[in-house]
Amino acid sequence: LIVDLTEVEFLASAGMGVLVAAHDGAPDGLRIHIVADGPATSRPLKLVGIADIMPLHATLDDALATFTA
């Protein structure tokens, strides 16, 4: 599953909580990849450690490439 946050201008704790809940509730074998680049999205994800439990990609193409490799 790819969550594209490219157009997101502000990512609050509630949004990050939804990502963690989705990760924790995902069935075995389902990985969640996040597309986020820039201070509004990737920085908070890195600061709170979400980038440590879910792959973080700068572009949608980068995320899609992980499925074709």
Side-chain angles (χ1 to χ4, degrees):
L1 174 66
I2 298 175
V3 178
D4 188 352
L5 302 177
T6 303
E7 298 295 322
V8 173
E9 295 178 6
F10 178 76
L11 183 60
S13 60
M16 290 185 277
V18 169
L19 290 172
V20 171
H23 174 267
D24 292 345
D28 289 339
L30 178 68
R31 293 189 52 183
I32 299 174
H33 293 248
I34 303 172
V35 177
D37 189 30
T41 53
S42 67
R43 186 167 186 255
L45 293 170
K46 290 175 184 174
L47 285 173
V48 299
I50 293 174
D52 296 333
I53 62 170
M54 290 180 258
L56 188 61
H57 305 276
T59 67
L60 181 58
D61 288 339
D62 289 344
L64 290 170
T66 64
F67 294 100
T68 59

